């Protein structure tokens, strides 16, 4: 291996074993410090961000206090602001997006890494990466032109007539059906985040050592069993990482969601009813907001979203630890 | 080594382009402006034509929204702003420097609808529009709508109301009108604003979004800018004005709204002309303003802005009608031309 | 093992593998649908003018987005220069050097940063870079995009560094290499494919972002000089044109979307090509 050959030639001159070790450690120490500094920069940036959000939302925080979380009204004219409908909308649309994107993305990643010929897999993966670059405005336009009519004329009525009649689950699929709403936004979001899941998961699955698969197959497992019970668990950390990426994007997505969600600040059980999310509200109203309390409330919404992300990330990590069954790659 | 060179070359490309462009320019007056989206088409036309005539003046206008325009002006990051609604007394008091308002064009907001039975042009009384948007009038064949449209077959269907999801000057004009014609609206929803707590309805983003929703949703109604309706051949209804007449929005009716009460326009030009008196007035009309600091330190910028304003009030107005904006009435132009002298 | 069980396992195998194929097919179809839509709507508006002319006001034909194309390139360059090193080195730290609790905090924070809506990042960059100097600039836009590039880069760098098998590291160290030398000459090259994917994914994502640029780079109808002036970009142009009343501008918006995708495609190809060449040594 060429890299090893390079190293072998570059052993530093032996002026004395202790001096050599000292220099070695110095080099490593410097590298450690440099990378540590850059890692700390992220902490610094995020702290500054939270600080800015905190300071600029001072007015509304003092005005509304904790009630901001459960007030259902958002009234710029009478200066009464509450985040409840947007928190609901954010959680619902992200949940729908992940429920759709994770199975689809993971299945596609498995197909691309295990079954497809390498060349085709590379090309398709390359093209899927491109999807990540499509501006959200265009996703929004496509949502309006394609998904919304589809939902209103075909998919919506279908869901209402079939799943809508199932007891308890059915409450998620009730009319009236306008085409815009939580489900439509969730679908558009799913399309937007699936490239992240596929791209990263596929790469991670490709790094699973061949020996693992072969060992399973040698023991008589079918292709699927070897994939699902050996390869995927090995890559679990990376796959979860891709889901985190997807979740984060879904939570913070603005343009595309705002064009297809119907923008009604309301909390309704049916996925087919219109609603709104935090990110979409901020994006829609920030540029036009003129009152100080109004602005402060919008920024407080940003802070609330930050808190939601914090909690969801924590829950997800707890979930990972709780389902650690072993069979994963050693850390 | 070759590939490193290649990478370095590729990275140098944007820098090289920058240098070339910088070398080509010098001595230009660069003005940055931000604000309303409603007049963006005419502003971009004006600034382009002005630049062609005065090639050393570049006015870069970005339509980030009226609120954005006001805030950026107050923060000092732009040279002047633009807004679809006049600044309030509070906002003016908060500004560190004096800001002057200059009306530029007139625009109108029209009701557009989609009725399955394909009714021809509908008439809307003031109470009808207010009731629909308050949610008190819920069916298309409600007597309030039916009585203004004898002979039209209105379905017994729920009205799907569409409003703007994003804050906008169009909403400002619409809510200004509703607040004037309906006390219920004023009490429940409040005064004119770019964003309100809509009692009912779906939100569409931009005129585009509202039009899209209305087109796709049977039995729906929405409000959009006149220019948008005209450019896209979208049918819209007539609105009853203060004199009781049903008027279909057109440029003449909009200019009439401004000149109807021209004497009463205050010196700072901050006025609302919705529901103006007069038989031919289209009641949902409005000015849109440029916000200019009263004191501009940079002499070159000051002269450029003053000269532009003079041009805008004379030659500039000729471009309005081509883009479906109404011209300013002569009385207003005369007063504004005098007001330019206030910029020091 | 009974034949029933074997049959069950075999049919499960067939069904599940087919399902994965179906999933991949569904995703690829959506992809082609989107690309097709873009090409159909935007392709007809592409012209030499589009690439060389400045924007023209409505009603006048022959306008283009030359300044926006250059602007997007400049902004992406800034974002890469500012964000990728931070992301890469943090990933190295997390994978190679990190202590348990500090690493946990860094990872958690990175995920948090990833979830911040792009408009909030734009507002942050605005207060950091624009307000102090009272003017918009390409630099501010680069800062906003740079911040957004970091989380994806960190995650992918860490993941793929971890995936490098331990025996490679041990072999290098056995030959006398120090830790950082091992990382630079053995581990990073081995993980470079995945790391590059992550970086390109991150850049692709920010290439299409509008909201963070509205208050930082602002936008410019003319050519922008240097790094301290407002600058046009493709996503902002798309946003401005897409919500306008004019058909001509709509078509230009689609064309811009197509060009943006093309830009990302070309840089993707370019970067992978360079990587393949360097690996072949």
């Amino acid at each position: 291996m060429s890299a090893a050959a390079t190293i072998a030639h570059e052993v530093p001159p032996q002026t004395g074993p202790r001096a050599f070790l000292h220099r070695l450690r110095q080099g490593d120490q410097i590298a450690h410090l440099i990378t540590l500094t850059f890692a700390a920069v992220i902490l610094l940036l995020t702290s500054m961000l939270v600080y800015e959000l905190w300071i600029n939302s001072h007015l509304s925080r003092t005005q509304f206090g904790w009630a901001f979380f459960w007030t259902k009204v958002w009234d710029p004219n009478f200066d009464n602001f509450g985040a409840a409908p947007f928190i609901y909308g954010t959680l619902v649309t992200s949940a729908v997006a992940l429920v759709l994107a994770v199975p689809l993305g993971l299945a596609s990643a498995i197909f691309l890494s295990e079954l497809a010929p390498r060349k085709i897999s590379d090309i398709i993966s390359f093209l899927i990466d491109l999807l990540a670059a499509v501006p959200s405005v265009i996703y929004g336009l496509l949502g309006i032109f394609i998904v919304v009519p589809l939902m209103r004329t075909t998919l919506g009525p279908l869901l209402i007539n079939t799943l809508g009649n199932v007891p308890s689950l059915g409450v998620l699929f009730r009319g009236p059906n306008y085409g815009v709403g939580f489900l439509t936004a969730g679908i558009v979001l799913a399309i937007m985040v699936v490239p992240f899941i596929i791209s990263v998961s596929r790469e991670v699955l490709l790094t699973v050592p061949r020996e693992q698969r072969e060992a399973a197959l040698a023991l008589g497992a079918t292709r699927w069993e070897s994939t699902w019970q050996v390869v995927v668990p090995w890559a679990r950390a990376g796959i979860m990482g891709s889901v985190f990426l997807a979740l984060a994007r879904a939570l913070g997505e603005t343009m595309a969601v705002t064009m297809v969600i119907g923008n009604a600040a309301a909390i309704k059980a049916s996925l087919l009813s219109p609603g709104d999310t935090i990110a979409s509200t901020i994006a829609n109203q920030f540029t036009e907001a003129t009152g100080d309390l109004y602005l402060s409330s919008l920024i407080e919404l940003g802070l609330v979203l930050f808190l939601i992300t914090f909690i969801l990330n924590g829950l997800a990590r707890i979930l990972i630890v709780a389902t650690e069954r072993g069979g994963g790659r050693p850390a | 080594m070759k590939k490193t060179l290649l990478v370095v070359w590729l990275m140098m490309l944007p820098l090289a382009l920058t240098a070339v462009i910088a070398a080509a320019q010098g001595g230009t007056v660069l003005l940055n402006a931000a604000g309303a989206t409603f007049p963006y088409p005419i502003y971009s036309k004006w600034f382009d034509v002005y630049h062609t005539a005065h090639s050393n003046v570049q006015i870069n206008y970005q339509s980030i929204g009226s609120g954005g325009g006001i805030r950026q002006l107050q923060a000092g990051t732009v040279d002047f702003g633009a807004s679809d609604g006049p600044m309030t007394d509070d906002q003016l008091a908060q500004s560190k420097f004096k800001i002057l308002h200059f009306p530029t064009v007139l625009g109108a907001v029209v009701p557009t609808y989609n009725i399955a039975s394909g009714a021809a042009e509908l008439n809307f009384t003031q109470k009808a529009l207010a009731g629909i948007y308050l949610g008190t009038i819920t069916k298309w064949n409600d007597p309030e709508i039916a009585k203004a449209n004898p002979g039209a077959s209105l379905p017994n269907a729920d009205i799907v109301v569409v409003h703007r999801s994003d804050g906008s000057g169009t909403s400002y004009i619409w809510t200004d009108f509703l607040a004037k014609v309906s006390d219920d609206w004023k009490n429940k929803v409040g005064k004119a604003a770019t964003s309100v707590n809509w009692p009912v309805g779906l939100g569409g983003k931009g005129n585009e979004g509202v039009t899209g929703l209305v087109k796709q949703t049977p039995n729906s109604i929405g409000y959009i800018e006149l220019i948008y309706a005209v450019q896209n051949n979208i049918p819209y209804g007539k609105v009853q004005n203060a004199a009781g007449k049903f008027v279909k929005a057109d440029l003449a009716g909009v200019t009439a709204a401004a000149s109807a009460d021209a004497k009463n326009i205050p010196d700072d030009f901050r006025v609302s002309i919705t529901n103006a008196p007069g038989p031919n007035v289209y009641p949902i009309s409005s000015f849109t303003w440029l916000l200019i600091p009263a004191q501009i330190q940079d002499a070159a910028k000051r002269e450029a802005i003053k000269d532009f304003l003079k041009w805008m009030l004379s030659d500039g107005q000729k471009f309005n009608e081509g883009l479906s904006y109404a011209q300013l009435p002569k009385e207003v132009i005369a007063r504004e031309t005098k007001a330019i002298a206030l910029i020091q | 093992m009974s034949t029933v069980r074997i049959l069950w396992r075999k049919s499960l195998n067939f069904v599940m593998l087919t399902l994965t194929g179906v999933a991949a097919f569904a995703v690829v179809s959506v992809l082609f649908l989107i690309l097709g839509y873009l090409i159909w709507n935007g392709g007809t508006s592409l012209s030499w003018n589009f690439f060389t002319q400045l924007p023209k006001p409505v009603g006048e034909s022959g306008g283009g987005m030359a300044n926006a194309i250059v602007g997007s390139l400049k902004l992406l360059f800034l974002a890469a220069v500012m964000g990728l090193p931070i992301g890469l080195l943090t990933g190295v730290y997390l994978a190679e050097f990190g202590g348990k609790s500090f690493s946990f905090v860094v990872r958690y924070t990175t995920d948090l940063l990833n979830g911040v809506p792009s408009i909030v990042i734009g507002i942050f960059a605005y207060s950091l870079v624009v307000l102090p100097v009272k003017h918009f600039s390409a630099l501010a836009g680069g800062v906003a995009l740079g911040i957004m590039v970091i989380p994806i880069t960190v995650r992918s760098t860490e993941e793929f560094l971890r995936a490098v098998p331990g025996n490679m590291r041990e072999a290098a160290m056995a030959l006398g290499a120090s830790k950082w030398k091992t990382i630079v000459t053995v581990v990073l090259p081995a993980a470079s494919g995945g790391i590059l994917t992550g970086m390109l994914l991150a850049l692709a994502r920010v290439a299409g972002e509008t909201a963070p640029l509205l208050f930082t780079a602002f936008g410019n109808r003319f050519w922008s000089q240097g790094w301290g002036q407002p600058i046009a970009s493709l996503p902002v142009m798309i946003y401005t044109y897409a919500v306008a009343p004019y058909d001509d501008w709509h078509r230009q918006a689609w064309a811009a979307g197509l060009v943006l995708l093309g830009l990302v495609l070309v840089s993707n190809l370019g970067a992978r090509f360079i990587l393949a060449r360097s690996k072949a040594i």
Side-chain angles (χ1 to χ4, degrees):
Chain A
M1 202 152 63
S2 56
T6 322
I7 295 168
H9 283 294
E10 287 188 15
V11 169
Q14 300 275 348
T15 54
R18 254 190 247 135
F20 170 73
L21 278 170
H22 181 72
R23 250 181 287 128
L24 241 180
R25 257 186 263 122
Q26 283 284 68
D28 278 350
Q29 198 65 5
I30 293 176
H32 188 136
L33 273 171
I34 292 179
T35 52
L36 181 82
T37 314
F38 277 87
V41 166
I42 296 184
L43 292 180
L44 182 71
L45 272 175
T46 315
S47 315
M48 284 168 73
L49 187 79
V50 177
Y51 178 72
E52 283 285 334
L53 287 177
W54 184 262
I55 293 281
N56 290 324
S57 60
H58 179 254
L59 260 177
S60 59
R61 270 185 300 108
T62 45
Q63 175 102 347
F64 301 117
W66 290 108
F68 191 73
F69 281 93
W70 53 76
T71 307
K72 290 201 215 157
V73 177
W74 183 267
D75 196 330
N77 241 340
F78 292 117
D79 272 347
N80 187 14
F81 299 103
F86 311 122
I87 296 178
Y88 179 77
T90 305
L91 291 173
V92 167
T93 50
S94 304
V96 170
L98 282 184
V99 160
L100 290 173
V102 172
L104 205 64
L106 188 56
S108 306
I110 291 176
F111 179 79
L112 288 173
S113 65
E114 303 287 311
L115 296 174
R118 189 59 190 263
K119 269 262 156 68
I120 297 185
S121 167
D122 278 345
I123 296 176
I124 293 184
S125 180
F126 183 76
L127 289 174
I128 290 179
D129 283 355
L130 276 188
L131 272 182
V134 176
S136 22
V137 178
I138 293 200
Y139 273 114
L141 288 174
L142 289 171
I144 292 181
F145 292 140
I146 304 180
V147 186
V148 171
L150 198 69
M151 179 67 65
R152 194 171 47 79
T153 52
T154 326
L155 199 56
L158 182 70
L159 285 169
I160 295 178
N161 291 329
T162 54
L163 292 177
N165 294 319
V166 171
S168 75
L169 185 70
V171 75
L172 287 176
F173 301 101
R174 291 278 148 78
N177 168 34
Y178 302 111
V180 292
F182 294 116
L183 188 58
T184 314
I187 291 176
V188 174
L189 273 179
I191 300 175
M192 293 177 80
V193 303
V194 102
F196 291 95
I197 297 181
I198 295 180
S199 187
V200 175
S201 296
R202 175 185 164 268
E203 285 280 355
V204 173
L205 284 169
L206 284 174
T207 64
V208 175
R210 222 181 319 142
E211 301 88 61
Q212 297 290 322
R213 285 190 199 86
E214 286 169 1
L217 291 172
L219 286 166
T222 61
R223 198 71 188 280
W224 170 252
E225 282 163 354
S226 137
T227 306
W228 188 245
Q229 290 174 20
V230 176
V231 179
V232 170
W234 186 272
R236 195 210 348 245
I239 295 177
M240 281 311 299
S242 74
V243 174
F244 275 117
L245 283 178
L247 173 68
R249 175 114 205 233
L251 286 173
E253 180 49 48
T254 54
M255 292 298 177
V257 168
T258 200
M259 288 164 120
V260 300
I261 198 169
N263 304 103
I267 300 181
K268 294 260 166 67
S270 168
L271 289 177
L272 295 167
S273 52
D276 214 347
T277 67
I278 293 180
S280 132
T281 306
I282 300 177
N284 266 335
Q285 300 187 13
F286 190 77
T287 48
E288 289 284 348
T290 38
D292 277 339
L293 188 61
Y294 192 3
L295 263 175
S296 174
S297 303
L298 284 170
I299 299 204
E300 191 177 347
L301 270 185
L303 202 57
V304 169
L305 184 61
F306 204 82
L307 188 67
I308 293 179
T309 316
F310 191 84
I311 296 175
L312 281 180
N313 266 311
L315 285 175
R317 284 184 194 281
I318 294 176
L319 193 72
I320 293 176
V321 171
T323 58
E324 203 100 274
R325 275 180 289 113
R329 182 194 59 229
Chain B
M1 220 37 202
K2 272 198 210 145
K3 59 155 172 59
T4 325
L5 269 176
L6 180 66
V7 171
V8 171
W9 264 113
L10 283 171
M11 292 175 114
M12 287 290 134
L13 196 61
L15 295 168
L17 276 166
T18 311
V20 166
I21 296 160
Q25 287 179 330
T28 36
V29 182
L30 298 167
L31 291 167
N32 286 308
T37 45
F38 169 66
Y40 182 60
I42 184 78
Y43 286 179
S44 62
K45 181 81 177 183
W46 280 347
F47 296 138
D48 188 75
V49 172
Y50 190 80
H51 173 64
T52 317
H54 306 77
S55 57
N56 65 325
V57 177
Q58 279 184 3
I59 306 179
N60 173 30
Y61 179 82
Q62 297 294 322
S63 54
I64 60 176
S66 304
I70 293 175
R71 266 184 294 122
Q72 296 313 316
L73 179 63
Q74 288 173 325
T77 51
V78 293
D79 298 301
F80 62 93
S83 172
D84 289 328
M87 288 174 73
T88 60
D89 293 329
D90 282 334
Q91 287 168 340
L92 285 172
Q94 272 176 354
S95 308
K96 295 194 199 78
F97 49 87
K98 187 157 180 238
I99 298 177
L100 302 168
H101 286 68
F102 284 90
T104 50
V105 292
L106 287 160
V109 178
V110 300
T112 174
Y113 46 87
N114 172 358
I115 299 194
S117 61
E121 228 159 59
L122 289 181
N123 298 327
F124 292 98
T125 61
Q126 300 186 340
K127 275 170 81 181
L129 286 177
I132 292 173
Y133 272 82
L134 273 170
T136 50
I137 297 181
T138 51
K139 297 241 188 245
W140 276 108
N141 59 353
D142 188 288
E144 184 65 38
I145 307 176
K147 76 177 190 213
N149 297 287
S153 65
L154 297 165
N156 182 25
D158 285 333
I159 305 179
V160 180
V161 179
V162 180
H163 54 75
R164 289 285 289 267
S165 63
D166 47 334
S168 89
T170 315
S171 291
Y172 184 90
I173 302 172
W174 186 254
T175 53
D176 188 37
F177 172 72
L178 289 180
K180 276 194 189 161
V181 304
S182 162
D183 280 334
D184 267 345
W185 180 270
K186 193 151 77 161
N187 294 332
K188 189 154 184 246
V189 185
K191 55 185 176 7
T194 53
S195 252
V196 296
N197 186 18
W198 299 95
V200 291
L202 308 170
K205 186 167 177 63
N207 282 298
E208 175 93 11
V210 171
T211 311
L213 270 177
V214 169
K215 266 197 191 154
Q216 288 183 23
T217 317
N219 302 317
S220 56
I221 183 173
Y223 60 88
I224 54 177
E225 292 159 18
L226 170 65
I227 174 176
Y228 195 81
V230 166
Q231 290 285 341
N232 292 276
N233 285 319
I234 301 169
Y236 55 94
K238 297 187 186 172
V239 181
Q240 189 182 40
N241 63 14
K245 226 175 118 185
F246 290 101
V247 178
K248 184 151 188 200
D250 63 8
L251 300 179
V254 172
T255 308
S259 48
D261 216 16
K263 306 181 280 321
N264 289 331
I265 295 178
D267 285 334
D268 63 355
F269 298 108
R270 293 160 56 213
V271 66
S272 153
I273 56 173
T274 49
N275 209 28
N280 298 317
V281 159
Y282 181 69
I284 319 183
S285 311
S286 172
F287 284 119
T288 181
W289 293 262
L290 281 181
L291 306 169
I292 318 275
Q295 287 197 316
I296 304 177
Q297 307 282 36
D298 185 314
K301 286 190 180 178
R302 183 174 60 238
E303 287 317 305
I305 292 179
K306 287 172 87 154
D307 191 61
F308 172 76
L309 285 173
K310 285 198 200 86
W311 177 89
M312 181 271 289
L313 290 168
S314 50
D315 290 331
Q317 294 289 309
K318 298 200 193 80
F319 293 99
N320 294 15
E321 309 226 321
L323 293 174
S324 303
Y325 293 92
Q327 297 196 33
L328 297 170
K330 292 194 202 35
E331 314 93 317
V332 178
I333 292 181
R335 289 173 65 182
E336 278 190 65
T337 315
K338 270 196 252 157
I340 296 179
L342 290 171
I343 305 174
Q344 303 290 330
Chain C
M1 190 169 296
S2 68
T3 24
V4 172
R5 178 129 178 89
I6 293 179
L7 223 63
W8 162 254
R9 287 170 57 211
K10 277 196 172 164
S11 17
L12 185 69
N13 183 51
F14 179 72
V15 167
M16 294 310 275
L17 291 179
T18 315
L19 276 180
T20 60
V22 168
F25 181 72
V27 174
V28 170
S29 333
V30 169
L31 166 75
F32 278 112
L33 184 73
I34 295 177
L35 282 179
Y37 215 86
L38 262 179
I39 294 175
W40 176 260
N41 279 310
T44 44
S45 314
L46 282 181
S47 62
W48 185 244
N49 276 339
F50 189 84
F51 290 97
T52 54
Q53 294 293 327
L54 288 178
K56 285 228 165 71
V58 65
E60 291 176 38
S61 61
M65 293 204 188
N67 59 342
I69 296 174
V70 172
S72 275
L73 282 171
K74 280 170 84 167
L75 286 169
L76 279 177
F77 174 74
L78 278 174
V81 159
M82 287 195 252
L84 290 181
I86 298 180
L88 180 71
L89 287 170
T90 306
V92 168
Y93 175 80
L94 288 176
E96 305 291 326
F97 293 108
K100 202 146 189 265
S101 37
F102 186 66
S103 294
F104 178 77
V105 171
V106 172
R107 256 185 231 114
Y108 207 87
T109 312
T110 309
D111 282 336
L112 282 183
L113 196 60
N114 204 17
V116 177
S118 48
I119 188 160
V120 175
I121 298 204
I123 298 170
F124 176 61
Y126 169 75
S127 45
L128 213 62
V129 187
V130 174
L131 272 184
V133 294
K134 288 206 189 302
H135 65 82
F136 300 104
S137 59
L139 192 65
V143 166
L145 294 183
I147 295 177
M148 295 183 71
V149 158
I150 295 175
I152 303 180
T153 314
V154 169
R155 255 214 181 272
S156 55
T157 305
E158 187 194 351
E159 270 322 311
F160 294 108
L161 281 177
R162 279 188 188 282
V164 174
N167 46 21
M168 281 176 76
R169 291 170 218 266
E170 287 159 12
M173 290 189 144
L175 287 163
S178 63
K179 187 159 186 185
W180 68 269
K181 198 132 209 161
T182 316
I183 297 172
V184 169
T185 51
V186 174
V187 184
L188 272 176
S192 57
I195 294 180
L196 188 69
T197 301
M199 287 184 173
L200 290 173
L201 205 62
L203 282 176
R205 189 225 158 135
V206 298
E209 287 286 346
T210 317
L213 295 176
L214 288 174
F215 287 105
T216 49
F218 191 54
N220 205 331
R221 297 288 285 186
F222 306 95
W223 290 107
S224 168
Q225 306 162 4
W227 308 98
Q229 280 188 3
I231 191 168
S233 61
L234 284 171
V236 172
M237 292 295 266
I238 295 174
Y239 174 67
T240 312
Y241 278 22
V243 298
Y246 310 104
D247 249 354
D248 178 48
W249 277 7
H250 289 165
R251 275 182 279 115
Q252 285 201 34
W254 287 109
L258 194 58
V259 168
L260 185 62
L261 226 57
L263 261 175
V264 172
L265 178 83
V266 166
S267 29
N268 245 314
L269 280 172
R272 287 186 196 279
F273 177 70
I274 293 175
L275 186 75
R277 289 288 298 275
S278 70
K279 269 186 149 170
I281 294 172

